[in-house]
Structures are given as C-alpha cells and as structure tokens.
C-alpha cells in the first residue's frame, strides 16, 4: 500500500472529527412526499352528504348514486321503545306563540301577493280557504286497487341495519330505530338513542360503506387504492369535519382526501367565476358570495329552514282548506313522502295562476288499498313557497334561525390555529410600532423605553385574554385586514340578524352587502346562482329576481346593468350541481397539491387541513 493510500483514511477520520464539532441546524424528519401519479379520476370518489339525501359516485360518473340519507338499526334487546328522528316535524312548532306567529306571517304573504300585479296589469283576486273547504270536506277517496303494490321492507332475516329506501319502508311495528345522521347541515347530535357523536359517525360509516359496495361496486378492502373528495357546508363545524375526515381515512381506509366547500363546488359545476350562491336544501338554506374560487367568510349565512318547512307549511294551509286525506300524520315517513310529492307537483311562484283549481293525487301505502283523492286548492299553492321569504309563516318559535361563521374555539391538536396567528400578529404589529416610535424619539430615556415596553406587553396580554374569551365573535373572511367601519358594521349586523328568521331575499341582500368592495357587490348582484332542490318551483327564477331588484339599495340599482338569477345552469338538475363541481375538481391538475394522505393525517392530524385546505380553516 502506497503512502498516499494510507493517508486517505487518516485524513477522512480527521475530517469526521472536525465535522462533529460544527453545530448544524436541526432539521425535522420530513414525511416523504407521495409520488405524483397521473390523475386517475375513476379512482376518486366524490361524497356530498346532505340532510335528506346522500349523493356519492366516482368522479368519472355522469350522475352520482343518490339515496335517502337514512339508516334503520335493529334493537339490541327486545321490548325497547322505537325511536324515529323527525323529518317534517321539528322543535319550536308546538309553542303557544307558534300559531299567532304563523298567522302574522300569512298576513304578510297575502299582502305581498295582493301588492304585486299580474302580467296583464290587474291585481289578483284573493281566494279564501272557505271557498275550497266546503268542496274538500265532501270528498271521499276512490279505491283504485285493493293492493297498492307497495311493500314493507322484508325484515324476516333480522338484518342489523337497513339503508335508504329500505329504511323508509320499515314497518313501524318492527324493532328498528330510524336515524338521519345529518340535520340542517350538521351532525345530528341529540340526547336520544343513537344521538352521540360515536353513534352518528358509525351511522355515516355504515351508510357510505353500504353505497360504495352495493351501488358503486367498490369493495372496502380496495379503498386503499381510492381517494375521496368530501363536500362540506360553507358554515361548518370544525370538530365534525375533523371526525368525518378521520373516519374516511383511518376507519374506511381511503388513501387520500380533499375537503371542499359546497358553494365553491357549485361554481365549478355551473361554470361561473363569481356569484352569490344560494343553496336551498331540505333542512337548511345557505347563502355565500364566491369570487374566483374563494368563499368570503363574512358573507356566509345559514338559515335554519328549507324545503321540508315549505312542505309542512303547505300541509297546514291544505288543512285550513279541508284536506281530504284526513289520516295524514307528519310523524309518518310515508305520509311525509306523499306531502313532498304534492309540494313538488302543485306548489309554484307564478302570480298569474289564480283562482280555484281541481287536482287529484294517489296514496299507496303497504298493506292498504291504493286510494285516489280529489283536491281543490287556491292560493295555498303560492303561499307555501312564499314562506321562504316570510319565514314567520313556518311558526317556529324560540329556535336559532340564522347563523354566521364563528371563530374557532381552538383545538389542542392544532396549536398554530387562528388564535395563535392573531396573537402573534398583534405582538409583531406592536413591536413594529414601538420600533418606529423609538426611531422618531431617539432621545427617549431608557427608563421611558422600558416603561413603554411594559405597558405594551400588558396591553398585549389583556388583548390575548379578551380575544380568547370572545369565541363567539366573527373573524375576517379575507386575508387582508378589515377597516374599522366595516368591522363595526358587520358586528352590528350580527346582533341585528343572528338568531332571527331572515327571509331568503333579505339574506341574499345582507350577504352581498358584507362584501368588501363595491366592485365585488356589483358582480354579486349581477349573478345569483340558486342550487339545491328546495326552490324548484315554477317561475321561481323570475320571482326571486323581482324581489332582489325591488329591495336592492338605490345606489346599486343605478349602476348594476342586470340582476341575473340562475336556477338551471347548462340545463342541469340544480340538486346535482354541487356534486358535479366536486367531480370536476378531481380532474384539475392543481388539485394534486390539495390531497391529504392517510399517513400525513396519522402523523399530523387536523393540522393538515389548515395546511392543504383551499379555504381558511
């Protein structure tokens, strides 16, 4: 061995000793990035969980699979009382003030109907319920067939659970509890059977797994090859979203997930860039202004009424007119289906349709004959959907009817949440201001500097304590700071509107008014997108357009060329637009950066949503 070869290992040892003495920055161990495979949309499942319907399908499907978002679970022990979640019934309807409020709301509806002229320039002649009642009271059903053709779900093999239509047709005498896991856009937590967070999440997992296997033909063991897109409401509960993401990734076994807001996906599905999105569902109505793919947080409103409340209001109005189906009960799911069908068939928002009209409908219940009823109705068909604009007509008392996006209460798994960011931002601003003051006053004494710094620190501590205690305050929807006037205006609006029953047109105007600039407001007035199945009435588009035009501020009436209300973009079913937008999102190249993968969630948890979500978490 040569002298040079002997020296090489010795020099290497000396270099190692030198390097050991050098202090290096500690680099945290990074989770290896998953390989960026080409987008395979047929391996992406889009899930849109609604209060009454679940829509789920592959991103490549033309239409999603849709079922009632309902599960029936067999009693574990015999003799237990049966529990059924409410559908058309709800809290706040049986108060002493309910009927008075309902009557007052109906008076406002009748005044609005009378004040608007028909297209021929004449005013409508109101039709009193007494005119139809005398006819309807005499009606007796005609028997079409002694066998209705409808069957109860076969439970002879005692299945542990039934899902969707099968759950709807479970015989009430069978030992099954019926649960809707989502009500008014949130997890349906309550004190009754099956109302705990664990039970509701188990119901969601069972329903979604059942649809994946039976309707999409995806085996649960193969979900590790699939990713999913979960669509959530604009006003969301962070804890609920976190639990659903954990369920999808860690329990069901999807390899990755994207969480996106319904309003933004509605924009993707309709092909618009900016609009005020109005989502009228079965249980809730949400309003939000979306601009260039961003949902402005300050503009979000959630109204605690929807299509089911219109159905119940129509039933009340038909009862005043002597509804001939006298055995109808709002606690019976099958009767609720009949009433929903009547609403979809007869209700409208056309001022030109007036006077009494005769209709007929069928009732087909299991183990009963098929019955045909005659029905005469007048203004009831117009009054019921107009209750969306005069929600006092629903007769709901002592319930929170309007809610807005609130500040997070904090999460121990997410230390760098908005409270931390707010506190550090405030401290940095105060430090910068103090530095600027010192430069302006170079002769200030050290004592004065120290005293000023002490006061600044104490003020910061007080501000931090105040901010953490006021968790009910709203926070800004934009990354930019709000001017004090806008913040004061918004807080005044919160105290004025939140908790009260706000009509749909007023909610839209309030949401647009919360936009940051006049240019944005002009855009929103020029494009109002209506999605969901709760406003699918004849001439609803023209009616809503007229209401917005009449109530918008005069300053904008002069500068907005046209108020456009879009109810069927591209002639699509408005109930499917949000899901379609989620499916389109799956095909975009930019989506690759948004995926939260299973191993990332396992290690970092909810912090990944703050890191990857396209909205402010």
């Amino acid at each position: 061995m040569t002298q040079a070869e002997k020296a090489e290992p010795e020099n290497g040892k000396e270099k190692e000793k030198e390097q050991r003495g050098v202090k290096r920055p500690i680099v945290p161990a990074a989770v290896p990035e998953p390989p960026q495979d080409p987008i395979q949309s047929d391996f992406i499942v889009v899930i849109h969980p609604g209060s009454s319907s679940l829509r789920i399908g592959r991103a490549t499907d033309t239409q999603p699979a849709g079922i009632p978002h309902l599960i029936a679970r067999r009693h574990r022990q015999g003799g237990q009382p049966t529990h059924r979640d409410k559908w058309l019934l709800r809290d706040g309807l049986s108060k002493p003030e309910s009927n008075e409020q309902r009557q007052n709301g109906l008076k406002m509806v009748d005044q609005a109907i009378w004040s608007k002229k028909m297209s021929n320039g004449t005013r409508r002649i109101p039709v009193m319920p007494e005119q139809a009642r005398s006819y309807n009271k005499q009606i007796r059903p005609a028997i079409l067939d002694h066998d209705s053709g409808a069957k109860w779900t076969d439970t002879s093999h005692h299945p542990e659970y039934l899902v969707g239509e099968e759950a709807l047709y479970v015989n009430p005498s069978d030992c099954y509890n019926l649960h809707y896991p989502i009500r008014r856009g949130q997890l349906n937590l309550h004190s009754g059977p099956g109302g705990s967070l664990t039970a509701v999440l188990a119901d969601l997992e069972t329903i979604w797994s059942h649809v994946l296997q039976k309707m999409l033909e995806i085996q649960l063991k193969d979900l590790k090859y699939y990713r999913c897109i979960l669509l959530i409401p604009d006003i969301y509960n962070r804890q609920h979203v976190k639990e659903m993401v954990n369920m999808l990734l860690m329990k069901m076994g999807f390899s990755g997930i994207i969480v996106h807001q319904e309003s933004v996906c509605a924009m993707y599905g309709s092909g618009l860039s900016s609009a005020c999105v109005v989502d009228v569902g079965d249980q809730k109505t949400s309003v939000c202004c979306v601009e260039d793919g961003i949902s402005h947080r300050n503009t979000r409103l959630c109204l605690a009424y929807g299509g089911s409340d219109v159905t119940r209001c129509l039933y009340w109005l038909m009862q005043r007119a002597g509804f001939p189906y006298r055995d109808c009960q709002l606690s019976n799911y099958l009767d609720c289906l009949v009433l929903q069908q009547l609403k979809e068939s007869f209700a409208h928002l056309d001022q030109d349709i007036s006077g009494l009209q005769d209709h007929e409908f069928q009732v087909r219940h299991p183990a009963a004959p098929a019955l045909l009823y005659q029905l005469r109705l007048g203004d009831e068909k117009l009054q019921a959907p107009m209750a969306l604009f005069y929600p006092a007509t629903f007769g709901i008392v002592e319930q929170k009817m309007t809610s807005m996006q609130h500040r997070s209460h904090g999460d121990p798994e997410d230390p760098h949440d908005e409270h931390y960011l707010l506190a550090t931002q405030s401290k940095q601003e105060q430090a910068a201001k103090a530095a600027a003051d010192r430069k302006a006053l170079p002769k200030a004494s050290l004592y004065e500097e120290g005293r000023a710094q002490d006061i600044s620190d104490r003020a910061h501590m007080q501000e931090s304590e105040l901010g953490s205690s006021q968790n009910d305050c709203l926070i800004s929807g934009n990354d930019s700071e709000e001017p004090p006037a806008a913040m004061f205006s918004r807080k005044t609006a919160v105290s004025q509107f939140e908790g009260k029953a706000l009509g749909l047109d007023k909610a839209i105007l309030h949401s647009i008014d919360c936009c940051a600039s006049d240019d944005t407001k002009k855009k929103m007035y020029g494009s109002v997108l209506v999605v969901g199945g709760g406003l699918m009435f004849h001439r609803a588009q023209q009616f809503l357009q007229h209401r917005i035009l009449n109530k918008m501020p005069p300053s904008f009436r002069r500068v907005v060329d046209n108020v456009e209300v879009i109810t069927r973009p591209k002639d699509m079913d408005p109930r499917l637009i949000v899901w379609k937008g989620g499916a389109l999102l799956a095909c975009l190249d930019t989506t690759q950066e948004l995926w939260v993968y299973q191993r990332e969630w396992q290690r970092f948890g909810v912090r990944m949503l703050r890191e990857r979500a396209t909205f402010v978490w």
Side-chain angles (χ1 to χ4, degrees):
M1 184 179 292
T2 63
Q3 197 71 22
E5 288 174 344
K6 288 180 181 178
E8 278 182 9
E10 292 176 2
N11 291 338
K13 290 178 181 177
E14 289 175 3
K15 286 179 182 178
E16 282 181 12
K17 289 178 181 178
E18 290 175 4
Q19 288 175 354
R20 284 175 192 166
V22 177
K23 291 184 179 180
R24 299 176 181 175
I26 299 173
V27 180
V31 175
E33 287 289 331
Q36 298 290 332
D37 298 327
I39 297 174
Q40 295 179 312
S41 299
D42 51 337
F43 282 89
I44 297 176
V45 176
V46 182
I47 303 175
H48 184 201
S51 299
S52 68
S53 300
L54 168 68
R55 292 182 175 88
I56 181 170
R58 292 180 175 87
T60 50
D61 294 342
T62 54
Q63 285 194 342
I67 64 165
H69 208 179
L70 174 70
I71 185 170
R73 287 195 178 274
R74 188 163 63 87
H75 290 177
R76 296 188 180 276
Q77 297 176 353
Q80 291 179 332
T82 300
H83 171 86
R84 291 188 163 216
D85 284 343
K86 299 173 183 177
W87 181 3
L88 295 186
L89 291 172
R90 59 181 294 173
D91 295 335
L93 293 174
S94 57
K95 303 289 182 182
E97 308 88 359
S98 294
N99 194 53
E100 181 184 353
Q101 181 171 303
R102 197 181 288 120
Q103 296 290 350
N104 291 337
L106 187 58
K107 286 178 184 177
M108 291 189 285
V109 168
D110 288 337
Q111 177 63 28
I113 292 174
W114 182 85
S115 64
K116 185 175 184 292
K117 293 181 180 179
M118 296 191 291
S119 58
N120 60 9
T122 62
R123 295 196 183 277
R124 286 174 56 97
I125 300 173
V127 179
M128 303 307 292
E130 291 80 10
Q131 295 175 252
R133 187 186 302 148
S134 58
Y135 173 84
N136 290 329
K137 286 288 186 182
Q138 300 172 5
I139 294 297
R140 296 294 180 269
I143 298 177
L144 294 176
D145 194 338
H146 289 284
D147 183 6
S148 65
K151 303 291 183 186
W152 294 117
T153 301
D154 181 16
T155 58
S156 58
H157 55 297
H158 305 297
E160 284 295 320
Y161 66 87
L162 295 160
V163 165
E165 291 280 352
E166 290 184 338
L168 270 179
Y169 280 88
V170 167
N171 193 323
S173 63
D174 290 344
C175 299
Y176 283 84
N177 291 335
L178 271 67
H179 304 290
Y180 281 99
I182 295 181
R183 295 277 86 176
R184 314 205 189 284
Q186 307 291 339
L187 296 186
N188 185 20
L189 306 182
H190 54 83
S191 58
S196 67
L197 178 61
T198 305
V200 171
L201 289 170
D203 288 343
L204 285 177
E205 183 179 353
T206 303
I207 296 171
W208 298 359
S209 299
H210 176 87
V211 176
L212 287 169
Q213 292 180 95
K214 301 297 182 183
M215 303 181 78
L216 301 187
E217 298 181 349
I218 300 174
Q219 298 304 311
L220 297 183
K221 63 182 178 61
D222 295 330
L223 287 182
K224 59 188 175 184
Y225 304 115
Y226 285 81
R227 292 179 274 183
C228 82
I229 294 179
L230 177 65
L231 309 183
I232 63 170
D234 301 294
I235 296 182
Y236 52 88
N237 183 306
R238 291 170 177 81
Q239 183 67 22
H240 293 179
V241 174
K242 181 178 104 172
E243 295 293 345
M244 285 193 285
V245 170
N246 189 69
M247 177 193 75
L248 287 163
L249 289 177
M250 306 312 298
K251 293 187 177 179
M252 294 181 67
F254 281 100
S255 63
I257 191 172
I258 289 177
V259 178
H260 223 309
Q261 292 169 299
E262 292 173 342
S263 64
V264 178
C265 290
M267 301 295 289
Y268 284 120
S270 60
L272 300 174
S273 60
S274 300
C276 178
V277 181
V278 183
D279 187 350
V280 187
D282 182 73
Q283 296 279 313
K284 65 153 180 73
T285 299
S286 60
V287 185
C288 175
C289 292
V290 181
E291 186 179 22
D292 299 328
I294 300 297
S295 163
H296 293 297
R297 187 187 295 210
N298 293 342
T299 66
R300 298 175 199 165
L301 282 174
C302 183
L303 312 174
Y305 57 79
S308 62
D309 297 283
V310 176
T311 305
R312 188 184 61 254
C313 184
L314 178 63
Y315 173 60
W316 171 66
L317 292 168
M318 290 191 300
Q319 279 186 311
R320 293 170 76 239
F323 189 45
Y325 177 30
R326 295 172 187 87
D327 294 332
C328 184
Q329 295 181 348
L330 292 179
S331 57
N332 186 330
Y333 281 14
L334 301 187
D335 285 343
C336 292
L337 285 174
V338 171
L339 293 172
Q340 188 173 20
Q341 185 180 0
L342 291 179
K343 179 194 72 175
E344 293 171 357
S345 302
F346 302 148
H348 63 84
L349 284 167
D350 189 349
Q351 290 275 134
D352 290 346
I353 300 176
S354 63
L356 291 171
Q357 276 128 14
D358 291 338
H359 305 279
E360 60 179 34
F361 65 96
Q362 297 181 15
V363 176
R364 293 178 177 270
H365 286 349
L371 303 176
L372 177 68
Y373 286 88
Q374 302 294 326
L375 174 65
R376 181 171 290 177
L377 291 175
D379 288 345
E380 293 82 8
K381 299 175 292 182
L382 174 60
Q383 290 167 332
M386 279 192 69
L388 290 169
F389 302 90
Y390 299 94
T393 317
F394 295 136
I396 304 166
V397 178
E398 297 178 5
Q399 297 292 307
K400 187 174 181 180
M401 296 299 291
T402 306
S403 56
M404 306 170 106
Q405 186 71 57
H406 289 79
R407 177 177 291 174
S408 166
H409 290 266
D411 190 327
E413 293 183 17
D414 185 15
H416 297 91
D417 60 6
E418 59 197 44
H419 297 287
Y420 170 82
L421 296 175
L422 188 67
T424 53
Q425 181 184 12
S426 175
K427 194 168 185 178
Q428 288 170 358
E429 287 173 357
Q430 290 181 4
K433 186 178 179 182
D437 291 343
R438 279 197 298 272
K439 288 180 181 178
L441 300 171
K443 295 182 179 180
S445 65
L446 291 174
Y447 169 75
E448 289 174 345
E449 283 186 10
R451 186 179 177 190
Q453 182 64 35
D454 184 51
I455 293 172
S456 174
D457 288 345
R458 275 184 287 174
H460 166 66
M461 288 174 63
Q462 290 173 358
E463 185 179 344
S464 299
E465 291 171 5
L466 182 65
S468 62
S469 65
Q470 292 181 339
N471 286 326
D472 291 334
C473 293
L474 295 174
I475 67 170
S476 172
N478 305 329
D479 292 333
S480 59
E481 290 183 10
E482 259 188 312
M487 184 177 292
F488 177 78
S489 171
R490 183 163 49 78
K491 288 184 177 180
T492 305
V494 172
S495 61
Q496 181 181 358
F497 291 125
E498 192 161 16
K500 292 186 178 180
L502 202 60
L504 182 58
D505 51 346
K506 291 182 180 178
I508 294 170
L509 292 170
H510 175 71
S511 177
I512 294 175
D513 190 52
C514 286
C515 291
S517 68
D518 287 350
D519 288 340
T520 304
K521 293 177 186 178
K522 284 171 62 178
K523 283 184 191 177
M524 299 305 152
Y525 279 122
S527 182
V528 178
L529 174 66
V530 181
V531 297
L535 200 65
M536 294 175 64
F537 303 113
H538 176 57
R539 292 191 68 83
Q541 176 185 8
Q542 295 84 349
F543 187 90
L544 181 57
Q545 186 177 29
H546 178 266
R547 300 279 301 189
I548 295 173
L549 270 170
N550 276 6
K551 295 195 173 185
M552 66 189 292
S555 57
F556 284 98
R557 203 175 299 159
R558 291 191 295 268
V559 295
V560 175
D561 298 329
N562 181 37
V563 173
E564 186 177 5
V565 175
I566 305 161
T567 54
R568 296 186 73 91
K570 303 178 183 177
D571 289 329
M572 285 194 298
D573 185 341
R575 294 170 293 188
L576 304 181
I577 290 174
V578 173
W579 184 91
K580 284 277 190 182
L584 179 63
L585 178 73
C587 305
L588 299 177
D589 290 334
T590 52
T591 303
Q592 290 289 77
E593 302 173 359
L594 307 179
W595 290 107
V596 175
Y597 292 95
Q598 189 184 81
R599 54 184 172 180
E600 293 176 326
W601 180 265
Q602 193 169 7
R603 179 167 182 181
F604 298 109
V606 73
R607 284 175 285 175
M608 294 308 301
L609 287 179
R610 180 175 298 282
E611 192 74 25
R612 302 277 170 84
T614 58
F615 52 93
V616 179
W617 173 254

